[in-house]
Amino acid sequence: MKKTAIILLAFGIVAIVVLAGCTQQQGGQQLVQYVCSNGTVVVDKNSCPVVPAGASQPIRELTVDEELSVCAGMPELQGTSFENTCITGLAAKLNDAELCKEVSSDQRTFCYSAVAEVAENPEVCLEAGTQKDQCYSAYAMNKDDALICDKITEVSLKDSCYSNFATKLGDTTLCDKIKTADQKNNCYYQIAQRLGDSSLCQKITNASMKDNCLQQTSRTQVGTPENK
């Protein structure tokens, strides 16, 4: 579904450009380019070849550079860069993470994770360089795959990944993998409250949190229909 949405978005953007043209900056001057029906990119839309009524014309596939030129100069509206969105869609469509380098640095993680998700290959995140952990984290969440958390090297981000899945799945074995004491304790606490299982409170190393956990779970157990 995500793959289809990304590709449809990219096609939608290209369709808009075909109709309205793409504005770029060249030598301080605005340059508007058009994509003809046969795939040719021109500056003057009147230069597009005329196709006689009823006749068909072979469509030439755009080169990667030509497709990138369509994305170039797209506007930014309400904080969303359509140029970045266009390039991300193109990268995902072509399964080419190298194109993510053309995206602004603050949006590259999304680009790499989009390519990885569409390709169903988390190893694409390795191409994200210093952003690979963020890419793995996004992939894990979007693909609902807790195993990807193991690939994250940055401790706090890995712990957050484990914690999110642990509380979501009620799986304390994921809490066991958390390195940060506070986050591990909180993980046990959240699942104990969710399941009403006081035995999980015993795993908490912080004394006050453990006591609070035991009190809360005992109230939950007293309030259950079986104990009334």
Side-chain angles (χ1 to χ4, degrees), residues 110-180:
F110 175 70
C111 181
Y112 284 114
S113 65
V115 175
E117 289 170 43
V118 170
E120 296 188 346
N121 178 17
E123 299 312 315
V124 169
C125 291
L126 290 172
E127 299 186 46
T130 58
Q131 297 178 328
K132 67 180 177 64
D133 283 342
Q134 289 80 1
C135 179
Y136 280 134
S137 178
Y139 185 97
M141 294 299 111
N142 293 334
K143 300 295 283 187
D144 202 24
D145 188 348
L147 293 176
I148 303 301
C149 298
D150 295 338
K151 295 179 177 293
I152 300 172
T153 57
E154 203 278 312
V155 175
S156 63
L157 196 60
K158 176 181 279 191
D159 285 351
S160 294
C161 189
Y162 286 139
S163 180
N164 287 334
F165 278 106
T167 53
K168 178 180 179 180
L169 303 174
D171 185 352
T172 57
T173 62
L174 293 174
C175 295
D176 296 339
K177 293 184 176 184
I178 296 174
K179 301 295 184 184
T180 309

Side-chain angles (χ1 to χ4, degrees), residues 18 34-42 44-45 47-49 59 62:
V18 169
Y34 300 87
V35 180
C36 302
S37 61
N38 68 343
T40 304
V41 179
V42 298
D44 182 1
K45 62 183 178 182
S47 299
C48 288
I59 297 177
L62 296 177

